[in-house]
Amino acid sequence: MSTHLSEQEIIRREKLAELTKLGIDAYPAPLYPVTHYSTAVKAGFNEETKEEYKDVCIAGRIMSVRDMGKACFAVLQDSHGRLQIYVRRDDICPGEDKALYDVVFKKLLDIGDIIGVKGFVFTTKTGETSLHVKELTVLTKSLKPLPVVKEAEGQTFDAVTDPEFKYRQRYADLIINPQVKDVFVKRTIMINTIREYLNEYGALEVDTPVLQTIPGGATARPFSTHHNALDVPMYMRIANELYLKRLIVGGFDWVYEFSRNFRNEGMDRTHNPEFTILEWYTAYKDYFWMMNVTENLLEKIAIALHGTTDVTVGDKTISFKAPFKRISIFDAIKENTGIDVSALEEDGLRDVCKQLNIRVDGTMGKGKLIDELFSETSEAKCIQPTFIIDYPVEMSPLTKKHRSKEGLVERFELMINGKEVANAYSELNDPIDQRDRFEDQVKLKERGDDEAMFIDYDFLRALEYGMPPTSGIGIGIDRLCMLMTNQPSIQDVLLFPMMRPEKTVE
């Protein structure tokens, strides 16, 4: 980050000083009485309604100016969109003093400055709905010029696409690339649709701790910190699962949380160290019920965002019409490799990985080897929504054993466009079995697996009081948003994705 001022930045600071000399506060404190927004004006104004638009007040950022001498056309951008304004010298300066137009508007204001205008709406000779300005107020002087973006007839020809700029300076990205805002508006609609769906069925939204003494509920490397007052190590949560299941023990039937989770791992197009997961847990249900609810929810989201269950993702059309395909993890591997690995132990799995040129290491147990086999051979081929079901017990330390298939658990992962979007179980509620599974995880940690789980003794104590049969799920909100808004990278659906710190250059 450079503290050196460019020529344009110096000029804008000089203009700010000139405004101050004229007695104009470029950063005024009083409320500005906005009455309308750009898109509503353009949508609502016509010959029949023009009387309703005789006294309009809007505020926004100057995005372009077309100077015609004693009058100017300019484009103002507010939080909803853009509106053309018509500024005439004698209208905003009805007396002898023409400085507000000749000096302030034409010389001291720049692209990016924020102004407020009052006037009436009319239609130009070219048919464009515009605001005829009668009063103009300076609201904010912009000291840094925006990147230049060329537009014609509503089309952008050179939108700024540099990721370094877009992700690090999201505030500027949102100004000059209005379509970016639409992604985040849709993200909010998606989350609100989920909330409405869950609330309608009686689910209760809750909050659970972000700082935890034991990072439980998932297999991942945590961020660590220290609590000074208690003088104990603490971890940022990698999942909220164990706390939500404590609430099921406590008597809630259905709880959910939009959880900010933190995993001290790599970054790529589908991973950010800080991310959002929706998790919910429902008593007296199983993973079959959860599959039905999940596919119905995703169908509802697609319709809310697009009006259809067909969603364009890159060059593909993904159908979110329920029901979704269901296939076991072993059958998926066999379908894509021709090899049945369902009866193989660790050595046999290593041999298959070697045969398929899949790199593995000595820290990997049976579960991770199967996970690697599926990831490398089958995951990318799950384009349409597919429930991968019935995982080996070694891969799922928090999942109930399968009711009819020895060595498996009642778990599914929802794969869409080659990526995992959701993970769900019939939850393990046998405290003795759970303790044994935790101890197996400790053995993996001793072998060098730094993603293996800790033993959470308090959670075991909670299970000993009795947790009813329960089904739970985690849905990756960021990945789901990528799919629903056709974005290729997780950074495109996070307002402020993780970036390397900027170096300060004096």
Side-chain angles (χ1 to χ4, degrees), residues 197-198 201 253-254 280-296 326 403 412 426 470-473:
Y197 183 89
L198 295 177
Y201 284 94
D253 271 357
W254 190 344
W280 82 68
Y281 294 83
T282 313
Y284 311 110
K285 307 298 183 185
D286 64 10
Y287 78 141
F288 292 114
W289 173 89
M290 187 64 79
M291 280 186 265
N292 295 336
V293 172
T294 302
E295 61 194 8
N296 289 334
R326 305 178 184 190
R403 67 195 72 178
F412 72 77
S426 293
T470 297
S471 185
I473 191 170

Side-chain angles (χ1 to χ4, degrees), residues 27-299:
Y27 307 100
L31 171 151
Y32 190 76
V34 172
T35 61
H36 292 74
Y37 292 96
S38 56
T39 51
V41 169
K42 289 191 286 188
F45 178 77
N46 54 51
E47 279 300 309
E48 295 178 356
T49 62
K50 64 181 181 181
E51 290 298 315
E52 301 173 22
Y53 294 89
K54 279 191 169 184
D55 188 12
V56 169
C57 178
I58 71 170
R61 195 180 295 272
I62 300 170
M63 299 305 292
S64 67
V65 176
R66 183 155 48 93
D67 189 350
M68 301 183 300
K70 295 182 180 181
C72 290
F73 280 104
V75 172
L76 216 59
Q77 178 172 292
D78 63 13
S79 61
H80 290 212
R82 295 183 177 186
L83 181 69
Q84 180 172 269
I85 63 173
Y86 175 64
V87 185
R88 194 169 65 177
R89 181 172 69 168
D90 290 343
D91 288 328
I92 67 170
C93 306
E96 293 296 320
D97 184 0
K98 306 297 183 183
L100 181 60
Y101 182 83
D102 292 340
V103 179
V104 176
F105 184 70
K106 293 192 68 174
K107 296 180 179 179
L108 300 182
L109 292 185
D110 295 290
I111 303 300
D113 289 352
I114 299 171
I115 62 172
V117 291
K118 298 178 182 179
F120 63 89
V121 181
F122 73 107
T123 303
T124 66
K125 292 179 181 179
T126 60
E128 182 165 359
T129 301
S130 306
L131 181 71
H132 189 128
V133 177
K134 306 295 285 187
E135 294 181 31
L136 185 148
T137 304
V138 178
L139 297 177
T140 302
K141 179 65 185 170
S142 171
L143 300 183
K144 185 178 285 291
L146 293 168
V148 176
V149 177
K150 295 178 182 177
E151 296 182 343
E153 298 180 354
Q155 298 296 314
T156 300
F157 292 97
D158 59 350
V160 176
T161 58
D162 174 31
E164 174 70 17
F165 171 83
K166 287 172 60 66
Y167 304 147
R168 196 177 296 283
Q169 298 187 50
R170 180 67 85 190
Y171 35 84
D173 180 40
L174 289 165
I175 296 169
I176 62 174
N177 294 323
Q179 71 279 6
V180 172
K181 181 182 287 187
D182 183 58
V183 171
F184 295 101
V185 170
K186 286 182 177 178
R187 179 184 173 112
T188 296
I189 292 171
M190 181 184 82
I191 290 172
N192 287 343
T193 301
I194 295 170
R195 275 199 170 97
E196 290 167 5
Y197 183 89
L198 295 177
N199 291 344
E200 182 181 343
Y201 284 94
L204 181 71
E205 185 170 9
V206 297
D207 292 309
T208 62
V210 174
L211 277 176
Q212 303 179 353
T213 55
I214 295 175
T219 53
R221 182 186 300 170
F223 285 93
S224 59
T225 184
H226 188 83
H227 193 295
N228 291 335
L230 297 177
D231 192 24
V232 295
M234 301 287 287
Y235 302 91
M236 302 292 284
R237 71 177 167 202
I238 57 175
N240 57 346
E241 174 173 342
L242 301 187
Y243 282 95
L244 292 178
K245 289 200 281 194
R246 284 171 168 93
L247 296 178
I248 298 295
V249 171
F252 291 103
D253 271 357
W254 190 344
V255 291
Y256 74 94
E257 181 179 17
F258 288 93
S259 172
R260 293 295 274 185
N261 292 351
F262 307 85
R263 297 183 183 178
N264 199 354
E265 299 166 348
M267 297 185 292
D268 58 32
R269 297 176 77 85
T270 58
H271 292 87
N272 193 70
E274 179 182 2
F275 58 98
T276 302
I277 290 283
L278 163 69
E279 292 204 24
W280 82 68
Y281 294 83
T282 313
Y284 311 110
K285 307 298 183 185
D286 64 10
Y287 78 141
F288 292 114
W289 173 89
M290 187 64 79
M291 280 186 265
N292 295 336
V293 172
T294 302
E295 61 194 8
N296 289 334
L297 173 59
L298 266 59
E299 182 179 79

Side-chain angles (χ1 to χ4, degrees), residues 352-365:
V352 172
C353 288
K354 184 176 181 180
Q355 177 185 337
L356 298 174
N357 296 314
I358 296 172
R359 184 176 298 179
V360 295
D361 60 55
T363 68
M364 293 181 173

Side-chain angles (χ1 to χ4, degrees), residues 15-25 99-100 103-104 108:
K15 290 181 178 182
L16 174 61
E18 289 297 317
L19 287 170
T20 303
K21 287 179 183 178
L22 291 172
I24 296 174
D25 183 357
L100 181 60
V103 179
V104 176
L108 300 182

